[in-house]
Amino acid sequence: ECSDFDDDARFDLTVKFDDKDIVKRKGAKWDATAKKWHITGEQFRADRFWDIYSPILVELVDEDCPF
């Protein structure tokens, strides 16, 4: 089990169109640019419900980093 992530980490979800309202009600957010539903690490830890949507931990690029 993956547990080495912060509460504000991002997990992308694989969501069928028919399930979009379900994940939205549960608190997932839509990223229009990436065209993906996502949740936070805190949401992922709190509810095993998300497992059915194949959550993938996303490494976000720090835009303040000059490298």
Coordinates of all heavy atoms in Angstrom, one line a residue:
E1 N 0.8 -1.2 0.0 CA 0.0 0.0 0.0 C 0.9 1.2 0.0 O 1.8 1.4 0.8 CB -0.9 0.0 1.2 CG -1.8 1.2 1.3 CD -2.8 1.1 2.4 OE1 -3.4 0.0 2.5 OE2 -2.9 2.0 3.2
C2 N 0.5 2.2 -0.8 CA 1.3 3.4 -0.9 C 0.8 4.4 0.2 O -0.3 4.7 0.3 CB 1.1 4.1 -2.3 SG 1.9 5.6 -2.5
S3 N 1.8 4.8 1.0 CA 1.4 5.8 2.1 C 2.4 6.9 2.2 O 2.2 7.7 3.1 CB 1.2 5.0 3.4 OG 2.4 4.4 3.7
D4 N 3.4 7.0 1.4 CA 4.4 8.0 1.5 C 4.0 9.2 0.6 O 4.6 9.4 -0.4 CB 5.7 7.4 1.1 CG 6.9 8.4 1.3 OD1 6.7 9.2 2.2 OD2 7.9 8.2 0.7
F5 N 3.0 9.9 1.1 CA 2.6 11.1 0.4 C 1.9 12.1 1.4 O 1.4 11.7 2.4 CB 1.6 10.8 -0.8 CG 0.4 10.0 -0.3 CD1 -0.7 10.6 0.2 CD2 0.5 8.6 -0.4 CE1 -1.8 9.8 0.6 CE2 -0.6 7.8 0.0 CZ -1.8 8.4 0.5
D6 N 1.9 13.4 1.0 CA 1.3 14.4 1.9 C -0.2 14.4 1.7 O -0.7 13.9 0.7 CB 1.9 15.8 1.5 CG 3.4 15.9 1.8 OD1 3.8 15.2 2.7 OD2 4.0 16.7 1.1
D7 N -0.9 15.1 2.6 CA -2.3 15.2 2.5 C -2.7 16.0 1.3 O -3.8 15.9 0.7 CB -2.9 15.9 3.7 CG -3.0 15.0 4.9 OD1 -2.8 13.7 4.7 OD2 -3.2 15.5 6.0
D8 N -1.8 16.9 0.8 CA -2.1 17.8 -0.3 C -1.6 17.2 -1.7 O -1.7 17.8 -2.7 CB -1.6 19.2 -0.2 CG -0.1 19.3 0.0 OD1 0.5 18.3 0.2 OD2 0.4 20.4 0.0
A9 N -1.1 15.9 -1.6 CA -0.7 15.3 -2.8 C -1.9 15.1 -3.8 O -3.0 15.2 -3.3 CB -0.1 13.9 -2.5
R10 N -1.6 14.9 -5.0 CA -2.7 14.8 -6.0 C -2.7 13.3 -6.5 O -1.7 12.8 -6.9 CB -2.5 15.7 -7.2 CG -3.5 15.6 -8.3 CD -3.2 16.5 -9.4 NE -3.9 16.2 -10.6 CZ -4.4 17.0 -11.5 NH1 -4.3 18.3 -11.3 NH2 -5.1 16.6 -12.5
F11 N -3.9 12.8 -6.6 CA -4.1 11.5 -7.2 C -5.1 11.7 -8.4 O -6.2 12.1 -8.2 CB -4.8 10.5 -6.2 CG -3.8 10.0 -5.2 CD1 -3.4 10.7 -4.1 CD2 -3.2 8.7 -5.4 CE1 -2.5 10.2 -3.1 CE2 -2.3 8.2 -4.5 CZ -1.9 9.0 -3.4
D12 N -4.7 11.3 -9.6 CA -5.6 11.3 -10.7 C -6.4 10.0 -10.7 O -5.9 9.0 -10.3 CB -4.8 11.4 -12.0 CG -4.3 12.8 -12.3 OD1 -4.7 13.7 -11.6 OD2 -3.6 13.0 -13.3
L13 N -7.6 10.1 -11.1 CA -8.6 9.0 -11.1 C -9.0 8.7 -12.6 O -9.0 9.5 -13.4 CB -9.8 9.4 -10.4 CG -9.6 9.9 -8.9 CD1 -11.0 10.4 -8.4 CD2 -9.0 8.8 -8.1
T14 N -9.3 7.4 -12.8 CA -9.8 6.9 -14.0 C -11.3 6.8 -13.8 O -11.8 5.8 -13.2 CB -9.2 5.6 -14.5 OG1 -7.8 5.8 -14.5 CG2 -9.8 5.1 -15.8
V15 N -12.1 7.7 -14.4 CA -13.5 7.8 -14.1 C -14.3 7.7 -15.4 O -14.0 8.5 -16.4 CB -13.9 9.1 -13.4 CG1 -15.4 9.2 -13.1 CG2 -13.1 9.3 -12.1
K16 N -15.2 6.8 -15.5 CA -16.1 6.7 -16.7 C -17.1 7.9 -16.6 O -17.4 8.4 -15.6 CB -16.9 5.4 -16.7 CG -16.0 4.2 -16.8 CD -16.8 3.0 -16.8 CE -15.9 1.8 -16.9 NZ -16.6 0.5 -16.8
F17 N -17.5 8.3 -17.8 CA -18.4 9.5 -17.9 C -19.6 9.3 -17.0 O -20.1 10.2 -16.3 CB -18.8 9.7 -19.4 CG -19.7 10.9 -19.5 CD1 -19.1 12.2 -19.5 CD2 -21.1 10.8 -19.6 CE1 -20.0 13.3 -19.7 CE2 -21.9 11.9 -19.8 CZ -21.3 13.2 -19.8
D18 N -20.2 8.1 -17.0 CA -21.4 7.8 -16.2 C -21.2 8.0 -14.7 O -22.1 8.1 -14.0 CB -21.9 6.4 -16.5 CG -22.4 6.2 -17.9 OD1 -22.7 7.3 -18.6 OD2 -22.6 5.1 -18.4
D19 N -19.9 7.9 -14.3 CA -19.6 8.0 -12.8 C -19.2 9.5 -12.4 O -18.9 9.7 -11.2 CB -18.5 7.1 -12.4 CG -18.9 5.6 -12.5 OD1 -20.1 5.4 -12.6 OD2 -18.0 4.8 -12.4
K20 N -19.1 10.4 -13.3 CA -18.6 11.7 -13.0 C -19.4 12.4 -11.9 O -18.8 13.1 -11.0 CB -18.6 12.6 -14.3 CG -19.9 13.0 -14.8 CD -19.7 13.9 -16.0 CE -21.0 14.4 -16.6 NZ -22.0 15.0 -15.7
D21 N -20.7 12.3 -11.9 CA -21.5 12.9 -10.8 C -21.2 12.3 -9.5 O -21.3 13.0 -8.4 CB -23.0 12.9 -11.2 CG -23.3 13.8 -12.4 OD1 -22.6 14.8 -12.5 OD2 -24.2 13.5 -13.1
I22 N -21.0 11.0 -9.4 CA -20.7 10.3 -8.2 C -19.4 10.8 -7.6 O -19.4 11.1 -6.4 CB -20.6 8.8 -8.4 CG1 -21.9 8.2 -8.9 CG2 -20.1 8.0 -7.2 CD1 -21.9 6.8 -9.4
V23 N -18.3 10.8 -8.4 CA -17.0 11.3 -7.8 C -17.1 12.8 -7.5 O -16.4 13.2 -6.5 CB -15.8 10.9 -8.7 CG1 -15.7 9.5 -8.9 CG2 -15.9 11.7 -10.1
K24 N -17.8 13.5 -8.2 CA -18.0 15.0 -7.9 C -18.6 15.1 -6.6 O -18.2 15.9 -5.7 CB -18.8 15.7 -9.0 CG -18.9 17.2 -8.8 CD -19.6 17.8 -10.0 CE -19.7 19.3 -9.8 NZ -20.4 19.9 -10.9
R25 N -19.7 14.4 -6.3 CA -20.4 14.5 -5.0 C -19.5 14.0 -3.8 O -19.6 14.5 -2.7 CB -21.6 13.6 -5.0 CG -22.9 14.3 -5.6 CD -24.1 13.5 -5.2 NE -24.1 12.1 -5.7 CZ -24.5 11.7 -6.9 NH1 -24.9 12.6 -7.8 NH2 -24.5 10.4 -7.2
K26 N -18.6 13.1 -4.1 CA -17.7 12.6 -3.1 C -16.5 13.6 -2.9 O -15.7 13.4 -2.0 CB -17.1 11.2 -3.5 CG -18.2 10.1 -3.4 CD -18.5 9.7 -2.0 CE -17.4 8.8 -1.5 NZ -17.7 8.3 -0.2
G27 N -16.4 14.6 -3.7 CA -15.3 15.6 -3.5 C -14.2 15.7 -4.5 O -13.3 16.5 -4.4
A28 N -14.2 14.8 -5.5 CA -13.2 14.9 -6.6 C -13.3 16.2 -7.4 O -14.4 16.8 -7.5 CB -13.3 13.7 -7.5
K29 N -12.2 16.7 -7.9 CA -12.2 17.9 -8.7 C -11.8 17.6 -10.1 O -11.1 16.6 -10.4 CB -11.2 18.9 -8.1 CG -11.4 19.3 -6.7 CD -12.6 20.1 -6.5 CE -12.7 20.5 -5.1 NZ -14.1 20.9 -4.7
W30 N -12.4 18.3 -11.1 CA -12.1 18.1 -12.5 C -11.0 19.1 -12.9 O -11.0 20.3 -12.7 CB -13.4 18.4 -13.3 CG -13.2 18.4 -14.8 CD1 -13.2 19.4 -15.7 CD2 -12.9 17.2 -15.6 NE1 -13.0 19.0 -16.9 CE2 -12.8 17.6 -16.9 CE3 -12.7 15.9 -15.3 CZ2 -12.5 16.8 -18.0 CZ3 -12.4 15.0 -16.3 CH2 -12.3 15.4 -17.7
D31 N -10.0 18.6 -13.6 CA -8.9 19.4 -14.1 C -9.1 19.4 -15.6 O -8.9 18.5 -16.3 CB -7.5 18.7 -13.8 CG -6.4 19.5 -14.4 OD1 -6.5 20.2 -15.4 OD2 -5.3 19.3 -13.8
A32 N -9.7 20.6 -16.1 CA -10.0 20.7 -17.5 C -8.8 20.7 -18.4 O -9.0 20.2 -19.6 CB -10.8 22.0 -17.7
T33 N -7.7 21.1 -18.0 CA -6.5 21.1 -18.8 C -6.0 19.6 -19.0 O -5.8 19.2 -20.1 CB -5.3 21.9 -18.2 OG1 -5.8 23.2 -18.0 CG2 -4.1 21.9 -19.0
A34 N -5.9 18.9 -17.9 CA -5.5 17.5 -18.0 C -6.6 16.5 -18.4 O -6.3 15.4 -18.8 CB -4.9 17.0 -16.7
K35 N -7.8 17.0 -18.3 CA -9.0 16.2 -18.6 C -9.0 15.0 -17.7 O -9.2 13.9 -18.2 CB -9.1 15.9 -20.1 CG -9.3 17.1 -20.9 CD -9.6 16.8 -22.4 CE -9.8 18.1 -23.1 NZ -9.9 18.0 -24.5
K36 N -8.8 15.2 -16.4 CA -8.8 14.2 -15.4 C -9.5 14.6 -14.1 O -9.5 15.8 -13.8 CB -7.3 13.8 -15.0 CG -6.5 13.2 -16.1 CD -6.6 11.7 -16.0 CE -5.7 11.1 -17.0 NZ -5.8 9.7 -17.0
W37 N -10.2 13.7 -13.5 CA -10.7 13.9 -12.1 C -9.5 13.6 -11.2 O -8.7 12.7 -11.4 CB -11.8 12.9 -11.9 CG -13.1 13.3 -12.6 CD1 -13.6 12.9 -13.8 CD2 -14.0 14.3 -12.1 NE1 -14.7 13.5 -14.1 CE2 -15.0 14.4 -13.1 CE3 -14.1 15.1 -11.0 CZ2 -16.1 15.3 -13.0 CZ3 -15.2 16.0 -10.9 CH2 -16.2 16.1 -11.9
H38 N -9.5 14.3 -10.1 CA -8.4 14.1 -9.1 C -8.9 14.3 -7.7 O -9.9 15.0 -7.5 CB -7.2 15.0 -9.4 CG -7.4 16.4 -9.4 ND1 -7.2 17.2 -8.2 CD2 -7.9 17.3 -10.3 CE1 -7.5 18.4 -8.5 NE2 -8.0 18.5 -9.7
I39 N -8.2 13.8 -6.7 CA -8.4 13.9 -5.3 C -7.1 14.2 -4.6 O -6.1 14.1 -5.2 CB -9.1 12.7 -4.7 CG1 -8.2 11.4 -4.9 CG2 -10.5 12.5 -5.2 CD1 -8.7 10.2 -4.2
T40 N -7.2 14.6 -3.3 CA -6.0 14.9 -2.5 C -5.6 13.6 -1.8 O -6.4 12.6 -1.7 CB -6.3 15.9 -1.5 OG1 -7.3 15.4 -0.6 CG2 -6.8 17.2 -2.1
G41 N -4.4 13.6 -1.3 CA -3.9 12.5 -0.5 C -4.8 12.3 0.7 O -5.0 11.2 1.1
E42 N -5.2 13.4 1.3 CA -6.1 13.3 2.5 C -7.4 12.5 2.1 O -7.9 11.7 2.9 CB -6.4 14.7 3.0 CG -7.3 14.7 4.2 CD -7.6 16.1 4.7 OE1 -7.4 17.1 4.0 OE2 -7.9 16.2 5.9
Q43 N -8.0 12.9 1.0 CA -9.2 12.2 0.5 C -8.9 10.7 0.3 O -9.7 9.8 0.6 CB -9.8 12.8 -0.7 CG -10.4 14.2 -0.5 CD -10.7 14.8 -1.9 OE1 -9.8 15.2 -2.6 NE2 -12.0 14.9 -2.2
F44 N -7.8 10.4 -0.3 CA -7.4 9.0 -0.7 C -7.3 8.2 0.6 O -7.8 7.1 0.7 CB -6.1 9.0 -1.5 CG -5.6 7.7 -1.8 CD1 -6.3 6.9 -2.7 CD2 -4.5 7.2 -1.1 CE1 -5.8 5.6 -3.0 CE2 -4.0 5.9 -1.5 CZ -4.7 5.1 -2.4
R45 N -6.6 8.8 1.6 CA -6.4 8.0 2.9 C -7.7 7.8 3.6 O -7.9 6.8 4.3 CB -5.5 8.9 3.8 CG -4.0 8.6 3.6 CD -3.3 9.1 4.8 NE -1.9 9.1 4.5 CZ -1.2 10.2 4.1 NH1 -1.8 11.4 4.0 NH2 0.1 10.1 3.8
A46 N -8.6 8.7 3.5 CA -9.9 8.7 4.3 C -10.9 7.7 3.8 O -11.8 7.4 4.6 CB -10.5 10.1 4.4
D47 N -10.8 7.3 2.6 CA -11.9 6.6 2.0 C -11.5 5.6 1.0 O -11.0 6.0 -0.1 CB -13.0 7.5 1.4 CG -14.3 6.9 1.1 OD1 -14.4 5.6 1.1 OD2 -15.3 7.6 0.9
R48 N -11.6 4.3 1.2 CA -11.2 3.2 0.3 C -12.1 3.2 -1.0 O -11.8 2.5 -2.0 CB -11.2 1.9 0.9 CG -10.3 1.7 2.1 CD -8.9 2.0 1.9 NE -8.3 1.2 0.8 CZ -7.1 1.0 0.6 NH1 -6.2 1.5 1.4 NH2 -6.7 0.2 -0.4
F49 N -13.1 4.0 -1.0 CA -14.0 4.1 -2.1 C -13.2 4.4 -3.4 O -13.5 3.9 -4.5 CB -15.0 5.2 -1.9 CG -15.7 5.8 -3.1 CD1 -16.8 5.1 -3.6 CD2 -15.3 6.9 -3.7 CE1 -17.5 5.6 -4.7 CE2 -15.9 7.4 -4.8 CZ -17.0 6.8 -5.3
W50 N -12.2 5.3 -3.3 CA -11.5 5.7 -4.4 C -10.7 4.6 -5.2 O -10.3 4.8 -6.3 CB -10.5 6.9 -4.0 CG -11.2 8.0 -3.5 CD1 -11.2 8.4 -2.1 CD2 -12.1 8.9 -4.1 NE1 -12.0 9.5 -2.0 CE2 -12.6 9.9 -3.2 CE3 -12.6 9.0 -5.4 CZ2 -13.5 10.9 -3.5 CZ3 -13.5 10.0 -5.8 CH2 -13.9 10.9 -4.8
D51 N -10.4 3.5 -4.5 CA -9.7 2.4 -5.1 C -10.3 1.9 -6.4 O -9.5 1.5 -7.3 CB -9.5 1.3 -4.1 CG -8.6 1.6 -3.0 OD1 -7.9 2.6 -3.0 OD2 -8.6 0.7 -2.0
I52 N -11.6 2.0 -6.5 CA -12.2 1.5 -7.8 C -11.9 2.4 -9.0 O -12.2 2.0 -10.1 CB -13.8 1.3 -7.6 CG1 -14.5 2.7 -7.3 CG2 -14.1 0.3 -6.6 CD1 -16.0 2.6 -7.3
Y53 N -11.4 3.6 -8.7 CA -11.0 4.5 -9.8 C -9.5 4.6 -10.1 O -9.0 5.5 -10.7 CB -11.6 5.9 -9.5 CG -13.1 5.9 -9.5 CD1 -13.8 6.0 -8.3 CD2 -13.9 5.7 -10.6 CE1 -15.2 5.9 -8.2 CE2 -15.2 5.7 -10.6 CZ -15.9 5.8 -9.4 OH -17.3 5.7 -9.3
S54 N -8.8 3.5 -9.7 CA -7.4 3.4 -10.0 C -6.6 4.6 -9.8 O -6.0 5.2 -10.7 CB -7.2 2.9 -11.5 OG -7.9 1.8 -11.7
P55 N -6.6 5.1 -8.5 CA -5.9 6.4 -8.2 C -4.4 6.3 -8.5 O -3.7 5.3 -8.2 CB -6.1 6.6 -6.8 CG -6.5 5.3 -6.2 CD -7.1 4.5 -7.3
I56 N -3.8 7.3 -9.2 CA -2.4 7.3 -9.5 C -1.8 8.6 -8.9 O -2.3 9.7 -9.2 CB -2.2 7.3 -11.0 CG1 -2.7 6.0 -11.6 CG2 -0.7 7.5 -11.3 CD1 -2.7 6.0 -13.1
L57 N -0.8 8.4 -8.0 CA -0.1 9.6 -7.4 C 0.6 10.4 -8.5 O 1.4 9.8 -9.3 CB 0.9 9.1 -6.4 CG 1.7 10.2 -5.6 CD1 0.8 11.1 -4.9 CD2 2.7 9.5 -4.7
V58 N 0.4 11.6 -8.6 CA 1.0 12.5 -9.6 C 2.0 13.4 -9.0 O 1.8 14.0 -7.9 CB -0.1 13.4 -10.2 CG1 0.5 14.4 -11.2 CG2 -1.2 12.6 -10.8
E59 N 3.2 13.4 -9.6 CA 4.3 14.2 -9.1 C 4.1 15.6 -9.8 O 4.3 15.7 -11.0 CB 5.6 13.6 -9.5 CG 5.9 12.3 -8.9 CD 6.2 12.4 -7.4 OE1 6.6 13.4 -6.9 OE2 5.8 11.4 -6.7
L60 N 3.7 16.6 -9.0 CA 3.5 17.9 -9.6 C 4.8 18.7 -9.7 O 5.7 18.6 -8.8 CB 2.5 18.7 -8.8 CG 1.1 18.1 -8.7 CD1 0.2 18.9 -7.8 CD2 0.5 18.0 -10.1
V61 N 5.0 19.4 -10.7 CA 6.2 20.2 -10.9 C 6.0 21.5 -10.1 O 5.0 22.2 -10.1 CB 6.4 20.6 -12.4 CG1 7.6 21.5 -12.6 CG2 6.5 19.3 -13.2
D62 N 7.1 21.8 -9.3 CA 7.1 23.1 -8.5 C 7.4 24.2 -9.4 O 8.5 24.4 -9.9 CB 8.1 22.9 -7.4 CG 8.1 24.2 -6.4 OD1 7.3 25.1 -6.7 OD2 8.8 24.1 -5.5
E63 N 6.4 25.1 -9.7 CA 6.6 26.2 -10.6 C 7.5 27.2 -10.1 O 8.0 28.1 -10.8 CB 5.2 26.8 -11.0 CG 4.3 25.8 -11.8 CD 3.0 26.4 -12.1 OE1 2.8 27.6 -11.9 OE2 2.2 25.6 -12.6
D64 N 7.8 27.2 -8.8 CA 8.7 28.2 -8.2 C 10.2 27.8 -8.3 O 11.1 28.6 -8.1 CB 8.4 28.5 -6.7 CG 7.0 29.1 -6.5 OD1 6.6 29.8 -7.5 OD2 6.4 28.9 -5.5
C65 N 10.4 26.5 -8.7 CA 11.7 26.0 -8.8 C 12.4 26.5 -10.1 O 11.8 26.3 -11.1 CB 11.7 24.5 -8.7 SG 13.3 23.7 -8.9
P66 N 13.6 27.1 -10.0 CA 14.2 27.6 -11.2 C 14.9 26.6 -12.1 O 15.4 26.9 -13.1 CB 15.3 28.6 -10.6 CG 15.6 28.0 -9.3 CD 14.3 27.4 -8.8
F67 N 14.8 25.3 -11.7 CA 15.5 24.2 -12.4 C 14.5 23.3 -13.1 O 13.5 23.0 -12.7 CB 16.4 23.4 -11.5 CG 17.4 24.2 -10.8 CD1 17.2 24.5 -9.4 CD2 18.5 24.7 -11.4 CE1 18.1 25.3 -8.8 CE2 19.4 25.4 -10.7 CZ 19.3 25.7 -9.4

